[in-house]
Amino acid sequence: MADLLPRSSAGAGLLQWNSDFGIREITPHLSGDLVERMEYLYVRVVKARGLKWSGDIDPFAELRLGGYSCTTSHVEKTVSPEWDNVFAFSRERIHAAFLEVFVRGKGLAKEDYVGGTRLDLAILPDAPVSVQPDSAPAPQWYPVFDNKGEHRGEMMMAVWFGTQADKYFDSAVHADAAFAVDDKLAAHIQHKLYAVPRLWYVRVKVVEVREVVFADKARVSEVFVRSRISGQVQRTRTSTDHRWRDEENGHLFVVAEPFEDHLTMSVVGVKNGKEEVIGDVHILLTHLERRWDARPIHPRWYSLVQPEGATKVDKFSAKININLCLEGGYKVLSEPVHYLSDVRPSASELKREPIGLVELGIREAVGLAATRTRDGRGSCDAYCVAKYGVKWYRTRTVTDGLSPRFHQTYHWEVHDHCTVLTVAVFHNSQIGDKGGLVAGDPVKDVLLGKVRIRLSTLESGRTYAYAYPLISLHGGGVKKMGELRLAVRFSNSSTLGLLQTYTQPHLPPMHYHRPLTVVQQEMLRREAVTIIAHRLGRMDPPLRLECVEHLCESHALRWSMRRCKAHFFRLREALEPLSAASTWFYHVCQWTNPVTTIAVHIIFAMLVCYPGLILPTFFLYKFLLGMQNYVHWQWRHRHKHPWHVDTKVSHVEAAHRDELDEEFDEFPTARPPEVVRMRYDKLRSLNARIQEIVGHVATNAERARRVMSWRDPRATVLYLMACLCLAVITFTVPFQAVALLTGFYLMRHPYLRKRLPDMPANFFRRLPCKVDCLL
């Protein structure tokens, strides 16, 4: 595997952290700025008028700047076309003195050249650098001449120098590629903001059906109900009394706003082992009642309609009693709980006010691995996707470069800082070797690497500028695909509100009042990912399915021997303090160090004689130990680097090739025979559950250990202040009273308990753990 671990060289202004897969700190180029200012030559081609040419033409404009060229869209059969296309050329790539703009006709029989104009860039009016949205100059008319110098019409254009802060940057076609950029390719490489639709759960609970008969008027003895929303299908158990009152929670479906689908309920009868649809009912989702709490929903009766093509029954009056509602109190999970970027429920009535703002600057990628060959050399067409909450940003695709520069800034409102910001780098496989879109069936975009940033580990107001390694894992091993340089800053609007979130439940209250099972969560999460991918795939340019699956971690529960080993070693590392304490006590009993043993005897005798000092001593010791860790942390590295993918924690460096081949094998497997395949798949499903249990235990153990490591400074401050207060309280209050109150509180009656977790549990679940380091 050594050939898959390339060595990286430290660039100028970078600090090597620990290994080739480590994070390197970057010195900000401009104080207070997340990205550098990049200058572009913007050319806005608005329209033309009075084009002189015999016959019908489909005019379009062609721009040439040195070796770069691009074209506008075509307008059919007119001499006054309107394009309003904007093109951008990076100023550092401009090596030509003139900009040439030609008007051509697509439908001309002999010569497609109508005329053109030539602009000297050296004498262009110097427009102010585009830092305001209205800084672009007004377009003006330029004459168009043919090769003989005859006037052939006029063209309206605007040419100016600006930066990525220009209002036309997002819609501009970045035409400084090694090939000509046409209008079809331009739509697939532009910058884009994707708004993820709001997702809801639909709860369907069938109560009973009445007056159901087969087409031959025979009595129906066994019946079940099938529910369908788009591609989601669920069914009830088979009932002989046509009632399902024992099914308390019913079935859940995932839908997205605006509600375009409808719910179809089919009553199916079983006769002689065969199934026959007795009747259907179609219900619009917009007619369903919405709720965001645990209040009961009253069922309604719906009349069934016989299916098309079935033998009609006279006086058909079958009915079904259903309990339907749109659940707005849940957070529809589309990603694993550990990587949630938004914890707000679906109902807008329950939305909380933002507590801060996170800003992300995607600077550049360095040393990307070549993913294709173009003109006999390695090349890559890279773009980034930043995901947080309901806003996903896709940067423009920088074509034909192994070190693309993006320098784009994005920001999101933060409603809960115990969330994760994800940035992924992809290779755009839809671009052909010589430009243009790939003909035929499109291929999948290649994931080059991901970066996860947990906001709770960031200090408020501080800019983190680091180069993150892009690590790719496949069946052959792990490989470094380059580096991604990011700058991120989190700022909070209210420190009190920020600290208050540690005492609140991580998920909305409905997840605790009516919790979902693990199987339900995973099934609904897969459906949510499918819906998001479908909606984002309908946008222009579409965000591809593989991008959504990688960003939502759709394969997080896939069986992997490597992940099981990683969770096991995480658990072993988290439990090392218990092993160390046991070893220390063993040495005390063995009198390895007599001085230490005598001191332990004295302290033990004091605590036995004065039991009131036990709790104050314990909490004071925790407080002093946490302060010692803080001083040690401040003295060595005041600003710890953010967590990132760790190959050792992920256990990829020691993984066997067979384990990786098993991990990337499809489910169900196709390699063994049928019997072995069935047993193999059952083993993988069982071990996947064990893997999650071990990971959950490891997460809780890491949280208990990391509470005083100052990884989350705010949580550590709250914990230390609580320890100090408890030390004072337990010192002043008699030990017997504290013991009685504590015991009575833990053994209190269920009527005195709340279904929501208490404050210590909420605080503990928000502590960071090393799950962010897993690959």
Side-chain angles (χ1 to χ4, degrees):
M1 194 179 296
D3 56 333
L4 296 176
L5 306 179
R7 305 291 298 179
S8 63
S9 58
L14 301 180
L15 299 178
Q16 186 72 25
W17 177 247
N18 54 5
S19 66
D20 293 332
F21 295 99
I23 305 174
R24 300 190 295 177
E25 186 174 3
I26 304 175
T27 303
H29 295 271
L30 294 176
S31 177
D33 291 350
L34 297 180
V35 297
E36 295 181 27
R37 188 176 65 185
M38 299 178 62
E39 294 191 1
Y40 293 90
L41 172 65
Y42 289 95
V43 181
R44 181 187 176 193
V45 183
V46 183
K47 58 184 176 180
R49 65 183 180 184
L51 298 180
K52 298 179 181 179
W53 193 264
S54 58
D56 295 333
I57 62 172
D58 297 339
F60 66 95
E62 178 184 0
L63 282 71
R64 289 184 182 177
L65 183 61
Y68 306 126
S69 64
C70 52
T71 60
T72 66
S73 57
H74 299 79
V75 180
E76 295 183 358
K77 298 179 177 58
T78 180
V79 294
S80 299
E82 295 185 4
W83 301 293
D84 200 10
N85 296 149
V86 182
F87 303 89
F89 301 87
S90 179
R91 191 165 189 173
E92 63 182 12
R93 293 189 179 184
I94 298 178
H95 302 291
F98 298 93
L99 170 66
E100 297 176 306
V101 184
F102 305 104
V103 178
R104 301 184 182 275
K106 184 179 180 182
L108 299 179
K110 296 182 180 179
E111 180 62 46
D112 63 352
Y113 180 73
V114 178
T117 184
R118 191 179 188 186
L119 302 179
D120 189 352
L121 300 181
I123 61 175
L124 276 178
D126 253 346
V129 175
S130 176
V131 294
Q132 298 294 332
D134 56 352
S135 61
Q140 57 180 317
W141 290 102
Y142 291 87
V144 175
F145 299 96
D146 61 6
N147 293 331
K148 299 179 181 180
E150 298 182 1
H151 187 267
R152 291 292 182 178
E154 292 181 314
M155 181 185 303
M156 177 178 285
M157 295 188 304
V159 184
W160 73 97
F161 287 102
T163 66
Q164 68 268 39
D166 198 287
K167 68 177 181 179
Y168 288 102
F169 180 82
D170 293 343
S171 59
V173 176
H174 293 264
D176 49 356
F179 42 78
V181 179
D182 57 10
D183 54 340
K184 294 182 179 179
L185 176 62
H188 286 77
I189 63 176
Q190 287 181 343
H191 171 271
K192 186 70 176 180
L193 164 64
Y194 297 94
V196 178
R198 187 191 302 180
L199 301 179
W200 292 71
Y201 285 143
V202 176
R203 189 179 296 275
V204 179
K205 179 186 175 183
V206 181
V207 181
E208 63 176 322
V209 294
R210 291 181 181 178
E211 302 178 16
V212 290
V213 293
F214 287 113
D216 57 359
K217 299 184 179 180
R219 180 180 179 274
V220 180
S221 59
E222 296 182 349
V223 171
F224 68 88
V225 180
R226 183 187 298 119
S227 308
R228 180 191 299 271
I229 297 181
S230 186
Q232 307 174 61
V233 181
Q234 296 192 38
R235 53 164 290 178
T236 64
R237 60 174 177 83
T238 302
S239 174
T240 56
D241 60 353
H242 305 176
R243 295 183 178 183
W244 293 268
R245 298 185 184 276
D246 55 339
E247 295 186 1
E248 180 181 357
N249 296 324
H251 298 140
L252 288 177
F253 298 88
V254 182
V255 295
E257 291 184 349
F259 303 125
E260 301 174 349
D261 301 318
H262 59 271
L263 171 65
T264 301
M265 306 289 295
S266 301
V267 179
V268 183
V270 181
K271 179 180 180 183
N272 298 328
K274 296 183 180 180
E275 299 178 358
E276 179 182 337
V277 179
I278 298 175
D280 299 323
V281 59
H282 303 280
I283 305 171
L284 295 177
L285 297 180
T286 54
H287 295 169
L288 300 185
E289 183 178 355
R290 305 187 183 191
R291 72 171 180 182
W292 46 86
D293 50 20
R295 61 185 174 87
I297 298 295
H298 299 290
R300 294 179 56 185
W301 286 97
Y302 294 89
S303 299
L304 295 177
V305 179
Q306 288 185 268
E308 297 181 1
T311 304
K312 300 301 180 180
V313 178
D314 297 336
K315 298 181 180 180
F316 183 80
S317 59
K319 296 182 179 181
I320 183 173
N321 193 9
I322 322 173
N323 196 321
L324 300 174
C325 70
L326 284 166
E327 295 281 10
Y330 288 93
K331 164 61 185 173
V332 179
L333 302 177
S334 59
E335 50 202 347
V337 179
H338 302 304
Y339 304 136
L340 281 179
S341 60
D342 188 8
V343 296
R344 292 176 295 172
S346 303
S348 58
E349 291 80 1
L350 301 178
K351 296 298 177 63
R352 293 182 292 184
E353 294 296 326
I355 61 173
L357 184 75
V358 59
E359 302 170 85
L360 173 69
I362 302 179
R363 294 185 170 183
E364 58 186 344
V366 180
L368 295 182
T371 53
R372 73 185 328 154
T373 302
R374 182 178 282 130
D375 298 332
R377 56 182 175 81
S379 177
C380 183
D381 304 322
Y383 67 92
C384 301
V385 180
K387 177 186 73 71
Y388 186 79
V390 297
K391 291 196 304 183
W392 296 17
Y393 289 98
R394 169 178 170 171
T395 66
R396 63 185 179 92
T397 300
V398 180
T399 59
D400 196 26
L402 299 180
S403 296
R405 303 183 66 198
F406 304 103
H407 287 283
Q408 284 292 107
T409 305
Y410 309 106
H411 66 275
W412 295 268
E413 289 184 343
V414 178
H415 297 82
D416 192 320
H417 70 294
C418 298
T419 46
V420 177
L421 168 65
T422 305
V423 184
V425 184
F426 295 93
H427 163 70
N428 195 334
S429 301
Q430 315 311 313
I431 303 177
D433 294 338
K434 297 183 179 180
L437 296 179
V438 176
D441 296 334
V443 294
K444 292 184 177 181
D445 290 353
V446 180
L447 175 67
L448 301 181
K450 282 185 294 189
V451 177
R452 304 189 196 102
I453 302 175
R454 186 170 293 274
L455 302 188
S456 62
T457 62
L458 305 180
E459 297 183 19
S460 300
R462 184 195 169 214
T463 301
Y464 291 80
Y466 286 92
Y468 297 85
L470 299 175
I471 302 175
S472 175
L473 180 65
H474 48 82
V478 61
K479 183 178 181 180
K480 182 178 179 181
M481 306 296 291
E483 291 182 345
L484 179 64
R485 298 180 179 178
L486 302 175
V488 62
R489 179 171 57 233
F490 169 71
S491 56
N492 64 294
S493 56
S494 173
T495 304
L496 182 60
L498 185 67
L499 299 178
Q500 188 181 1
T501 57
Y502 285 100
T503 63
Q504 299 174 351
H506 192 204
L507 294 175
M510 279 296 293
H511 285 270
Y512 307 99
H513 290 297
R514 290 191 176 180
L516 305 178
T517 64
V518 177
V519 177
Q520 270 186 313
Q521 288 185 5
E522 183 58 22
M523 180 187 67
L524 295 173
R525 191 171 74 85
R526 287 197 299 265
E527 298 296 341
V529 173
T530 302
I531 292 176
I532 292 176
H534 175 69
R535 289 292 181 91
L536 299 187
R538 292 164 51 183
M539 298 183 180
D540 187 25
L543 189 63
R544 298 185 55 80
L545 172 62
E546 57 270 18
C547 300
V548 177
E549 289 180 345
H550 284 301
L551 288 168
C552 291
E553 304 286 347
S554 61
H555 302 297
L557 290 181
R558 182 171 56 184
W559 159 250
S560 170
M561 179 65 73
R562 176 191 61 84
R563 278 182 172 265
C564 282
K565 291 182 178 180
H567 290 320
F568 172 77
F569 287 112
R570 287 174 53 211
L571 179 61
R572 188 181 68 175
E573 182 183 357
L575 296 179
E576 280 183 358
L578 295 179
S579 177
S582 176
T583 304
W584 172 82
F585 186 71
Y586 173 79
H587 288 296
V588 168
C589 296
Q590 294 297 322
W591 288 74
T592 304
N593 189 341
V595 177
T596 303
T597 304
I598 294 174
V600 169
H601 279 75
I602 296 175
I603 296 175
F604 177 74
M606 292 177 57
L607 294 179
V608 170
C609 296
Y610 302 96
L613 296 178
I614 296 178
L615 293 180
T617 303
F618 174 76
F619 289 118
L620 186 59
Y621 166 75
K622 298 290 286 186
F623 175 78
L624 295 178
L625 182 60
M627 294 305 299
Q628 179 185 3
N629 292 340
Y630 170 73
V631 174
H632 178 68
W633 172 60
Q634 183 184 33
W635 177 71
R636 291 191 61 187
H637 298 284
R638 179 61 182 88
H639 301 294
K640 286 287 187 179
H641 68 90
W643 272 339
H644 185 48
V645 172
D646 193 325
T647 56
K648 293 183 179 180
V649 174
S650 303
H651 203 71
V652 294
E653 296 180 354
H656 196 269
R657 293 293 182 96
D658 293 338
E659 297 176 357
L660 296 177
D661 180 72
E662 180 186 16
E663 178 176 349
F664 287 92
D665 188 16
E666 296 296 332
F667 189 88
T669 180
R671 290 185 175 84
E674 294 293 331
V675 176
V676 180
R677 179 191 308 174
M678 180 182 61
R679 296 176 180 176
Y680 183 53
D681 292 341
K682 287 183 178 180
L683 178 63
R684 294 173 71 186
S685 300
L686 177 62
N687 287 336
R689 300 277 76 81
I690 298 176
Q691 166 186 314
E692 289 304 309
I693 293 174
V694 175
H696 181 69
V697 175
T699 297
N700 292 332
E702 286 175 351
R703 287 170 176 167
R705 185 181 179 185
R706 297 284 172 182
V707 66
M708 291 194 305
S709 63
W710 293 91
R711 169 54 68 176
D712 185 350
R714 291 171 287 267
T716 305
V717 169
L718 289 177
Y719 180 76
L720 296 182
M721 295 305 297
C723 290
L724 183 60
C725 293
L726 290 175
V728 175
I729 293 174
T730 52
F731 180 79
T732 56
V733 179
F735 175 78
Q736 292 81 357
V738 174
L740 285 175
L741 291 177
T742 304
F744 289 162
Y745 176 79
L746 295 177
M747 295 182 293
R748 67 190 184 278
H749 195 274
Y751 286 111
L752 301 178
R753 300 176 184 269
K754 295 181 179 179
R755 291 197 176 187
L756 296 179
D758 50 8
M759 292 175 54
N762 296 330
F763 177 83
F764 182 77
R765 290 173 183 173
R766 292 175 175 274
L767 296 175
C769 59
K770 284 190 176 181
V771 70
D772 302 334
C773 301
L774 291 180
L775 178 63

